[in-house]
Amino acid sequence: MGGTTKKILKNLPKISDIAEKYDIPSREEMSKALESRIGKVLAEKFAGAVVAVCGLGGLGSNIAISLARSGVGKLILVDFDRVDMGNLNRQQYKVSQLGMEKPTALFENLREIAPYVEIEAHCTKLGEANFSSILSSAQVICEAFDVPEDKSKLANFVLENLRDKVLISSSGMAGIDSANKIKTRKIAENFYICGDGVSDVDIHGTLFAPRVMLCAAHQSHLTLQVIAGQVNLD
């Protein structure tokens, strides 16, 4: 991630805007449908959770959509970037959204998928100046950056200053190697890393939707386990 301007996005689509285009179910109807799939206890736990997704590219956009579908009550979405052609092979954006700020584009998509999830969208570069103000309300922080230095800065800050948060990071999902090499590892208390731990896009030169999505699935599934109080890496 790059850029320096912090902007909390406003004038984003409202549920009423979606309702004008589509006949959307009520909040109660959607909650009941979700409870029929995952049970009332987990649905209530997920609905009360706040998760931050830092970076909204191939990992982050997939993480956000998985968590929204699962009923997580509030998502904090953070990225400075805009949707470009190179994103479309693995990120959850559409051709019609080319040039849009990623937080705005993802907000629009999530509104149609899970209209009642609360979304706090920031168009900004995360750093020491705003880590606390943006992330302090989250129970789980999903790191989905591209740049290793950004990953390290976030991890160091969270582990030193936000010790009550669970940090779920990523490392290694490039190339077309076996999907079975993508794993979730516990590094320290409240700190996990998902990926194969070795493949780097600078070395492999390629990123494929299934492998990136699989790493994102590991991150989002672990997030749900943390919220449920049922972490199991076996």
Side-chain angles (χ1 to χ4, degrees):
M1 295 179 67
T4 57
T5 302
K6 176 180 179 180
K7 179 166 64 173
I8 300 176
L9 299 177
K10 300 178 180 179
N11 301 318
L12 293 167
K14 301 179 177 63
I15 295 174
S16 58
D17 298 330
I18 304 300
E20 290 178 0
K21 297 172 61 179
Y22 309 104
D23 182 18
I24 65 171
S26 68
R27 182 189 294 270
E28 291 72 23
E29 289 172 322
M30 294 197 73
S31 295
K32 186 175 180 180
L34 182 62
E35 286 179 11
S36 73
R37 290 294 181 182
I38 68 173
K40 186 177 179 64
V41 172
L42 284 182
E44 290 180 348
K45 285 186 177 182
F46 294 164
V50 181
V51 178
V53 183
C54 305
L56 304 177
L59 292 172
S61 62
N62 280 290
I63 291 168
I65 285 177
S66 291
L67 295 178
R69 289 191 186 279
S70 300
V72 170
K74 180 176 179 179
L75 296 174
I76 301 170
L77 307 179
V78 193
D79 203 317
F80 79 97
D81 208 358
R82 292 178 179 270
V83 181
D84 65 38
M85 288 278 285
N87 301 148
L88 299 181
N89 82 315
R90 67 197 183 282
Q91 301 183 18
Q92 292 295 332
Y93 302 107
K94 301 175 286 188
V95 170
S96 61
Q97 295 176 319
L98 288 171
M100 289 180 63
E101 293 171 330
K102 287 184 178 180
T104 303
L106 188 56
F107 186 104
E108 287 187 355
N109 296 342
L110 290 170
R111 261 297 166 258
E112 295 189 23
I113 293 168
Y116 302 106
V117 64
E118 182 181 352
I119 300 173
E120 179 183 315
H122 298 263
C123 186
T124 186
K125 179 178 174 59
L126 273 173
E128 291 192 6
N130 58 11
F131 279 145
S132 288
S133 62
I134 292 177
L135 303 178
S136 60
S137 65
Q139 176 181 351
V140 181
I141 299 169
C142 291
E143 176 274 304
F145 292 148
D146 297 326
V147 180
E149 289 78 8
D150 292 336
K151 292 173 178 286
S152 297
K153 287 178 182 179
L154 177 62
N156 289 337
F157 187 89
V158 172
L159 295 174
E160 292 175 7
N161 300 282
L162 300 174
R163 296 182 181 178
D164 59 324
K165 315 300 180 187
V166 175
L167 176 64
I168 303 176
S169 191
S170 60
S171 177
M173 74 291 307
I176 201 167
D177 201 356
S178 172
N180 294 332
K181 293 183 179 180
I182 303 293
K183 306 289 183 181
T184 297
R185 295 168 290 140
K186 183 174 183 179
I187 306 303
E189 190 67 26
N190 289 343
F191 181 31
Y192 301 84
I193 293 181
C194 303
D196 64 24
V198 294
S199 62
D200 189 293
V201 68
D202 291 336
I203 297 172
H204 291 264
T206 54
L207 289 166
F208 294 92
R211 211 160 190 268
V212 173
M213 290 172 68
L214 182 58
C215 187
H218 272 255
Q219 290 184 265
S220 52
H221 188 67
L222 178 57
T223 297
L224 297 178
Q225 287 189 327
V226 169
I227 296 167
Q230 299 180 27
V231 174
N232 182 358
L233 304 185
D234 294 335

